[in-house]
Amino acid sequence: FGVSSFIDPIIEETGISRTTISVLFAISTGFSAAMAAMVSRMSDRYGPRRMLAIVACALGIACFGMALSSGFVGFFFALAALRALGQGSLFINSTLLVAQWFVAKRGRAVAVMSLGFSASNAVIPPLSRALIESIGWRETYAALGVMVWLIVIPATLLLVRNTPEEVGLHPDGADKPPEGEGDLSEVATGPDRRKILSSPAFWKLALPLSVPAFVVTGMIFHQTSILEERGLSATVAASVFVPFALS
């Protein structure tokens, strides 16, 4: 969602064709999926608190990398890092963290957490567009990197704890542990009985459910140019994300 505000300025400055940058983004998305899988295993092992701080630090660096990128290779690695660290790894760690703190009210808690994702969809594209018009797209990416560092890292270190047991509590604020639920450390040190990736049922669900994400990503990635062809400005294209997020 945030990247979409930058596509047209990048194309205009670098001369990279729209098709080429789309292919780069598609390949980097596949690369980021593999990286997100690796980060999720590390979160199981080391805990989401540590991984959130590391991922946020790396995401800020990725924003600076995007600001300094030139050429196919640079944009590929920068896009892959943004995709893997932002929408992938941060969301994975946040979901894992909420799942550790809530059991009976887990669905509600994850829904409230997901509102942050929607809020960022409403705020970041218009903010990025305004900054691009005032200071340029490279400087805007640098500013976003600093913003990630100033907001996410301190909040993680000061507020986040991996499990309620670390501070003498139980999930949902209950007086005793929930039945059938272990904490993160128990799962990480026990034998891995999860056979999800080898399950045909998993792939029969995962592959069809991935199609809407492909379509939505393609439309949003080129939203600015699509709306400009209809006579609407890039600012309007970015502001469309506000009602989109609210819905």
Side-chain angles (χ1 to χ4, degrees), residues 122-172:
V123 172
I124 297 301
L127 174 63
S128 297
R129 188 67 236 175
L131 289 173
I132 289 170
E133 292 180 351
S134 60
I135 62 177
W137 72 268
R138 293 185 183 274
E139 292 78 4
T140 298
Y141 257 124
L144 291 177
V146 172
M147 184 181 74
V148 169
W149 285 346
L150 293 179
I151 296 176
V152 181
I153 295 177
T156 298
L157 297 178
L158 293 174
L159 302 177
V160 172
R161 297 296 180 267
N162 289 322
T163 65
E165 288 79 8
E166 287 187 4
V167 289
L169 301 174
H170 298 295
D172 299 299

Side-chain angles (χ1 to χ4, degrees), residues 22-245:
S22 299
V23 171
L24 287 175
F25 190 74
I27 297 174
S28 66
T29 298
F31 176 81
S32 71
M35 184 175 174
M38 180 180 67
V39 169
S40 67
R41 294 182 67 87
M42 295 175 67
S43 298
D44 286 336
R45 182 173 182 179
Y46 300 110
R49 180 175 186 259
R50 180 183 299 180
M51 292 308 300
L52 276 171
I54 293 173
V55 167
C57 181
L59 180 58
I61 295 173
C63 288
F64 281 99
M66 195 68 184
L68 299 172
S69 294
S70 61
F72 299 147
V73 176
F75 278 112
F76 168 74
F77 282 107
L79 285 171
L82 288 175
R83 192 87 160 118
L85 296 167
Q87 189 172 5
S89 299
L90 280 181
F91 196 77
I92 287 171
N93 280 283
S94 300
T95 304
L96 179 60
L97 184 67
V98 171
Q100 288 297 116
W101 278 82
F102 296 91
V103 176
K105 299 177 181 179
R106 183 174 290 163
R108 186 186 309 174
V110 172
V112 172
M113 181 209 71
S114 299
L115 292 177
F117 183 70
S118 298
S120 69
N121 293 342
V123 172
I124 297 301
L127 174 63
S128 297
R129 188 67 236 175
L131 289 173
I132 289 170
E133 292 180 351
S134 60
I135 62 177
W137 72 268
R138 293 185 183 274
E139 292 78 4
T140 298
Y141 257 124
L144 291 177
V146 172
M147 184 181 74
V148 169
W149 285 346
L150 293 179
I151 296 176
V152 181
I153 295 177
T156 298
L157 297 178
L158 293 174
L159 302 177
V160 172
R161 297 296 180 267
N162 289 322
T163 65
E165 288 79 8
E166 287 187 4
V167 289
L169 301 174
H170 298 295
D172 299 299
D175 296 328
K176 60 181 180 178
E179 295 182 4
E181 290 278 344
D183 64 30
L184 186 77
S185 59
E186 293 172 349
V187 174
T189 56
D192 187 3
R193 298 188 177 91
R194 293 167 295 179
K195 304 297 182 182
I196 296 174
L197 295 180
S198 61
S199 168
F202 169 77
W203 293 106
K204 288 176 183 177
L205 286 170
L207 294 177
L209 289 173
S210 68
V211 174
F214 292 150
V215 175
V216 170
T217 298
M219 294 178 65
I220 290 175
F221 192 70
H222 299 291
Q223 178 164 293
T224 299
S225 63
I226 291 172
L227 295 187
E228 282 186 336
E229 286 183 4
R230 306 304 301 172
L232 301 174
S233 68
T235 301
V236 172
S239 66
V240 167
F241 285 111
V242 176
F244 180 89

